[in-house]
Amino acid sequence: MIGSDYVLEAHNIYHTTEVDTGGCFNGGGQSALVLKGVHLTVHSGEVMAILGSKGSGKRALLDVIARRSEGSSRGQVLLNGSPLTKSLFQQRCGYVTHACDFIPGLTVSQTLNYTPTILGGYLKSSKVRQVLADLALSQVSHKKVENLNISEKRRLAIGVQLVRDPVMLLLDEPTQGLDPLSAYLLISILSNSAKKTGCGILLSMEKPRSDVFPFLDRALFLCLGGAVYSGGTRAMLEYFHGIGFPCPQLENPLMYYLCLSTVDRRSRLKSRSIVSSYEVRDLAIAAVVVVVFLPQFFVYCCFAGGNR
């Protein structure tokens, strides 16, 4: 269990890497700026969600923080005020990807027990039992890893990192491919674990459900590599309300503002952390014009042409 408060900070993060342009004859990608002046802060015991559509820069940001990104980066990533180097991240933090490289033939309990940690003997056995209980894996502790379902495998991958007692845990799309109930269970487990152990959690999500909103302490909305909003979830509602975009009562705040911030992917965000109310309003008006008036204009043209 973490004994002191930790703060993970990212300041003015820019990242350039090679992206796939989708061409048939260019034989590869081209260099592009995928992160543009992103800021974030996560404290011990908090859960922060990085939200954005495909290509918004979610995975690139996690990779930059974890010091495993390809390409060139600039900006600062700090852990308690000190630069977060690759070796420091490996010692004090964890990263859960979709690659579940478990050893076939081992049980869930054995997989956790064989994970290298600084603990040994009774202390490690106690830690493994605690992680199994916290991740709702106790009932399948003697089950072989190859016989687990996708939800159990995802939780076991998280457990491998939690056994190491990280101060910060990064997760790349942990709810992807899960049914709604399993996704809710996973996010609630992560939230409880963060509060119980003091571990800060930073996870990415593309399609957040409304039922996970109460478990999130902070949110970062990304659009084309730029930050539309970064801060507390309660402050998020107040911020968008203050610039003239209150969330409708029956709407999911996460999806509502995610859709609002990505309504026109061709627009380019300026290099600042929050989009102004005028930019958001212009995007919304443009979308209404295209959706409402363009079909009517098309019908009018067809009608007029037919009467000639």
Side-chain angles (χ1 to χ4, degrees):
M1 184 175 294
I2 300 169
S4 59
D5 185 46
Y6 283 82
V7 182
L8 174 66
E9 301 171 275
H11 297 292
N12 207 28
I13 301 298
Y14 287 83
H15 182 64
T16 302
T17 189
E18 189 175 278
V19 297
D20 185 9
T21 59
C24 298
F25 304 103
N26 54 16
Q30 64 181 12
S31 182
L33 186 64
V34 296
L35 293 175
K36 310 167 187 177
V38 177
H39 298 258
L40 65 85
T41 302
V42 188
H43 295 263
S44 295
E46 291 183 338
V47 179
M48 183 175 196
I50 303 175
L51 306 169
S53 59
K54 185 177 181 180
S56 60
K58 301 187 300 297
R59 181 174 299 171
L61 180 57
L62 291 176
D63 286 344
V64 167
I65 295 174
R67 297 312 192 202
R68 57 188 296 173
S69 60
E70 298 181 355
S72 61
S73 303
R74 70 178 189 267
Q76 286 186 312
V77 180
L78 307 173
L79 182 62
N80 273 13
S82 300
L84 184 58
T85 62
K86 184 175 183 179
S87 60
L88 180 58
F89 182 89
Q90 293 173 345
Q91 293 171 11
R92 305 310 311 270
C93 306
Y95 192 1
V96 180
T97 65
H98 285 177
C100 299
D101 298 325
F102 303 127
I103 301 176
L106 293 184
T107 65
V108 171
S109 180
Q110 289 172 336
T111 299
L112 295 180
N113 273 296
Y114 293 158
T115 300
T117 67
I118 61 174
L119 301 177
Y122 173 78
L123 290 179
K124 185 169 184 177
S125 299
S126 178
K127 181 66 176 180
V128 168
R129 288 194 299 270
Q130 174 191 321
V131 169
L132 287 171
D134 291 344
L135 296 178
L137 290 173
S138 298
Q139 298 298 323
V140 295
S141 62
H142 298 294
K143 196 173 183 180
K144 292 187 177 181
V145 293
E146 57 265 33
N147 297 327
L148 300 177
N149 60 39
I150 183 173
S151 176
E152 294 165 344
K153 287 183 178 179
R154 198 70 53 81
R155 280 178 277 145
L156 178 57
I158 295 172
V160 169
Q161 296 298 325
L162 290 181
V163 165
R164 299 174 53 247
D165 212 12
V167 299
M168 292 289 165
L169 181 62
L170 280 58
L171 302 99
D172 179 26
E173 296 277 0
T175 60
Q176 187 179 68
L178 299 183
D179 60 83
L181 181 59
S182 297
Y184 175 85
L185 174 65
L186 181 60
I187 298 300
S188 64
I189 284 175
L190 289 173
S191 177
N192 292 333
S193 179
K195 301 298 184 293
K196 180 178 180 180
T197 66
C199 175
I201 292 178
L202 185 61
L203 57 90
S204 60
M205 301 179 74
E206 184 176 342
K207 297 178 181 179
R209 293 172 51 85
S210 60
D211 53 9
V212 306
F213 182 76
F215 300 113
L216 304 179
D217 302 292
R218 293 176 179 267
L220 167 64
F221 288 85
L222 289 178
C223 179
L224 298 178
V228 176
Y229 174 81
S230 180
T233 49
R234 293 184 181 274
M236 175 192 76
L237 298 176
E238 297 174 359
Y239 167 76
F240 283 107
H241 187 278
I243 63 173
F245 291 92
C247 181
Q249 187 174 5
L250 299 180
E251 289 284 348
N252 171 9
L254 299 175
M255 280 301 300
Y256 181 77
Y257 291 124
L258 180 58
C259 293
L260 185 64
S261 62
T262 58
V263 68
D264 186 357
R265 291 181 56 83
R266 294 171 300 175
S267 65
R268 298 182 63 185
L269 294 178
K270 297 179 180 179
S271 57
R272 60 177 182 271
S273 61
I274 296 178
V275 177
S276 69
S277 60
Y278 299 104
E279 290 174 302
V280 175
R281 186 179 295 113
D282 289 344
L283 293 177
I285 292 174
V288 171
V289 170
V290 171
V291 173
V292 176
F293 294 106
L294 188 59
Q296 296 180 6
F297 178 73
F298 178 75
V299 172
Y300 171 76
C301 292
C302 293
F303 179 77
N307 289 337
R308 289 180 181 177

